[in-house]
Amino acid sequence: LLPMLDEISNMTELDLSTIDAIAVAGGPGSFTGLRIGSATAKGLGLALEKPLISIPTTAAIAYNIWDTDKFVCPIMDARRNQVYTGIYRFEKKFETVMDQDAMDMSELIEKLNAMGERVIFLGDGVPVYEKQIAEKMTVPYDLAPAHVNRQRAASVAALGAVYFAEGKTETAMEHKPDYLRKSQAEREREEREEKEKNA
């Protein structure tokens, strides 16, 4: 990652000391990927004395869709019938309707149906839950086309510029990834400890 960043800065003749801040996908996502991204951003932030802008992954995915009056609902497959999700909309500007969270897909569908407005779904959870969406959604919905359906670094950067203008920054020391739930290893350890305690 760092050699690639060095190559890009050389190709574009960018002096990294001239940047204002560092946008980083703050999570959720793969535990390893989030740790690598956060560690790199923190290291650069400390070395360059620049603030960090932590972008919720679901917000970055939603930011792929622009200028719509529909709810934008990214769904990332979190396994075990759960998704990482949030609800967003654009009414003159990008707005968070529901902060990102981990939840059961059925619960999300119920919530969206109760809100009573058309929804655009996107993210890697769409092919996993497409059948459930078709069966249980009572409000109209659309599935985003493939070219805007996944995480994109450009959306993290673009939303980072918006957050920076709004003063939503943190120091490199303050930043930590938002996993939204415990790793499988942590859950298995807790289950093992609970069994041992009850044995």
Side-chain angles (χ1 to χ4, degrees):
L1 183 57
L2 285 168
M4 286 170 64
L5 184 58
D6 185 53
E7 186 178 347
I8 290 167
S9 67
N10 288 334
M11 284 169 53
T12 58
E13 298 180 356
L14 172 69
D15 178 353
L16 288 178
S17 67
T18 64
I19 65 173
D20 296 313
I22 299 163
V24 59
S30 94
F31 283 78
T32 303
L34 290 176
R35 287 184 182 119
I36 291 167
S38 286
T40 304
K42 283 170 79 78
L44 287 168
L46 288 167
L48 298 169
E49 298 180 346
K50 301 293 180 181
L52 266 55
I53 306 160
S54 184
I55 306 297
T57 309
T58 60
I61 297 170
Y63 208 63
N64 290 344
I65 306 292
W66 185 253
D67 194 25
T68 178
D69 58 356
K70 303 173 184 78
F71 284 132
V72 180
C73 185
I75 52 175
M76 298 170 62
D77 184 19
R79 311 247 161 101
R80 299 188 325 228
N81 201 43
Q82 284 209 323
V83 290
Y84 298 125
T85 189
I87 303 172
Y88 305 88
R89 76 178 328 151
F90 294 84
E91 289 203 10
K92 297 185 181 163
K93 65 177 195 150
F94 183 73
E95 295 176 12
T96 302
V97 176
M98 182 188 85
D99 286 328
Q100 67 177 11
D101 201 359
M103 66 172 51
D104 187 85
M105 187 62 194
S106 301
E107 182 187 344
L108 174 63
I109 290 172
E110 272 180 40
K111 188 180 286 279
L112 289 166
N113 284 337
M115 294 169 84
E117 292 187 40
R118 193 174 194 101
V119 182
I120 301 172
F121 287 102
L122 69 168
D124 67 11
V126 170
V128 178
Y129 295 104
E130 189 171 354
K131 186 169 183 253
Q132 195 171 339
I133 290 167
E135 289 170 355
K136 297 184 177 176
M137 285 293 289
T138 56
V139 295
Y141 68 88
D142 300 292
L143 305 178
H147 70 285
V148 292
N149 197 30
R150 296 288 194 269
Q151 299 172 40
R152 299 162 73 192
S155 293
V156 173
L159 190 52
V162 172
Y163 281 19
F164 182 74
E166 294 173 353
K168 295 179 183 176
T169 64
E170 60 189 359
T171 67
M173 289 298 288
E174 290 169 330
H175 175 74
K176 56 184 178 206
D178 184 6
Y179 299 112
L180 284 188
R181 70 178 196 193
K182 295 174 183 173
S183 70
Q184 184 177 347
E186 289 171 304
R187 290 193 306 272
E188 287 174 359
R189 188 191 75 227
E190 286 176 2
E191 287 169 14
R192 213 172 33 253
E193 288 171 353
E194 188 65 30
K195 283 180 186 172
E196 289 169 3
K197 190 169 84 174
N198 294 330

